[in-house]
Amino acid sequence: MLTHALDRYLPEVSSTKRATTADAEGHKAKALKQSLGAYSLAAVTPDLVAQYRDERLAIGKSNNTVRLELALLSHLFTIAIQEWRMGLFYNPVTNVRKPTPGKGRDRRLKADEERCLFQACDQHSNPMLGWITRIALFTGMRAGEIKSLTHAQVDLDKRTVHLTETKNGSSRTVPLTRNATEVFRAALNHPVRPLDTDLLFWGEPGRDGLRRPYEFRPAWVRTLRKVGIQGLRFHDLRHEAVLRLVEAGLGDQEVSAISGHKSMQMLKRYTHLRVEDLVARLDGVMG
């Protein structure tokens, strides 16, 4: 087994994980397979891993991207040693210095950008793009959580959405603002709805005849390019939503219950207020 190339085993590491996690790790695995895929697991040395790290950084990949790629590679070796009993002596990734964690993103969505973004999304041929974009900004839900939503998870009377597939594996119930409720109402009342899926945001059937979630990201990227919005990622909408909750005066526990952050330390990455907001609040408190 030691003679098999590394790229033979990378897909197996993610095969038992949730679809959204496996998909994300699949993107990270591409770079690893391209550079190290021809090596057998036994032939991968700390020097090779360090060389991979330096090459990825040299072409402009972020510290966090490279850290995640190395984490996936390290996980592969851990599984190979502990579960597959492949006879490897050590995990070569543990002996390599990882890039320092990058600074958390602080990209805010400006009012004029929000207006242009919604207008452009509404002009798209598929109304789901606009609904998904608004839901991300109005609720702080992750892209994977939104894409996997079904009818049964949305309760318009209680104004809640019950999430069963989340990044940290725990279910949570998200309260809806009036704006968010209206978006969900429009999505639920979509007049063109196939009978072969309960997905709220569905795509065309695949070669196997099954419908999967609507893959909105290509349309999202084209829409940003069309209106000239630069440096905005879809995940920044979640970041913006959480910041707005903080700025509205909600406490950490309340924000965590809505956003699903288990760690208060992780939440603090999102809950830094803008300096001008702090100045205004100081004026109101201290005069």
Side-chain angles (χ1 to χ4, degrees), residues 1-15 29 33 37 39-42 72 76-77 79-80 84 86 88:
M1 292 183 73
L2 289 177
T3 59
H4 287 305
L6 179 145
D7 64 358
R8 156 73 174 76
Y9 295 103
L10 273 170
E12 295 187 22
V13 175
S14 305
S15 62
K33 289 191 289 186
Y39 291 92
S40 70
L41 294 182
L72 176 59
L76 167 62
F77 277 96
I79 295 297
W84 298 341
M86 293 185 64
L88 298 170

Side-chain angles (χ1 to χ4, degrees), residues 62-284:
S62 71
N63 286 18
N64 286 340
T65 294
V66 178
R67 285 176 63 88
L68 289 172
E69 291 170 355
L70 293 181
L72 176 59
L73 182 61
S74 179
H75 184 53
L76 167 62
F77 277 96
T78 298
I79 295 297
I81 293 170
Q82 297 181 358
E83 296 188 16
W84 298 341
R85 310 293 183 185
M86 293 185 64
L88 298 170
F89 295 107
Y90 70 107
N91 180 344
V93 186
T94 59
N95 296 322
V96 174
R97 179 177 53 81
K98 314 304 183 296
T100 56
K103 180 183 177 182
R105 286 178 60 81
D106 57 2
R107 176 64 159 90
R108 297 296 305 261
L109 182 67
K110 301 171 184 175
D112 60 333
E113 289 180 327
E114 180 178 336
R115 184 168 54 255
C116 291
L117 178 61
F118 286 166
Q119 289 176 350
C121 287
D122 291 341
Q123 292 171 3
H124 190 265
S125 58
N126 191 333
M128 287 188 279
L129 177 63
W131 295 334
I132 290 173
T133 300
R134 285 179 170 86
I135 288 170
L137 185 60
F138 294 163
T139 68
M141 291 164 55
R142 300 178 179 91
E145 296 169 346
I146 298 173
K147 288 172 61 176
S148 64
L149 283 174
T150 63
H151 283 217
Q153 293 174 260
V154 183
D155 190 327
L156 293 180
D157 293 330
K158 294 182 179 178
R159 286 172 47 186
T160 59
V161 172
H162 183 66
L163 299 179
T164 55
E165 295 186 25
T166 66
K167 182 178 179 180
N168 56 35
S170 300
S171 63
R172 77 177 189 277
T173 300
V174 180
L176 302 178
T177 64
R178 290 185 178 86
N179 286 337
T181 302
E182 291 309 309
V183 175
F184 274 108
R185 192 183 309 279
L188 288 167
N189 291 332
H190 194 313
V192 183
R193 178 165 296 284
L195 300 177
D196 58 355
T197 183
D198 194 39
L199 285 168
L200 197 56
F201 306 112
W202 70 91
E204 294 299 318
R207 293 181 178 178
D208 55 5
L210 299 177
R211 289 187 184 272
R212 292 173 176 80
Y214 170 48
E215 184 46 68
F216 67 91
R217 289 190 184 276
W220 159 265
V221 172
R222 289 194 299 269
T223 299
L224 291 181
R225 190 179 300 121
K226 176 181 177 182
V227 296
I229 296 178
Q230 299 180 347
L232 184 71
R233 302 176 185 173
F234 188 82
H235 192 74
D236 291 332
L237 300 181
R238 169 173 164 82
H239 175 86
E240 180 67 29
V242 174
L243 280 168
R244 291 182 183 184
L245 292 175
V246 175
E247 292 170 347
L250 274 67
D252 285 356
Q253 294 293 341
E254 294 170 311
V255 174
S256 176
I258 296 172
S259 67
H261 287 94
K262 276 191 170 182
S263 166
M264 288 298 107
Q265 187 61 37
M266 281 295 296
L267 186 60
K268 288 184 185 302
R269 293 184 57 229
Y270 289 86
T271 57
H272 56 284
L273 292 173
R274 289 182 292 184
V275 173
E276 56 265 36
D277 295 325
L278 288 172
V279 170
R281 291 178 64 180
L282 283 173
D283 287 344

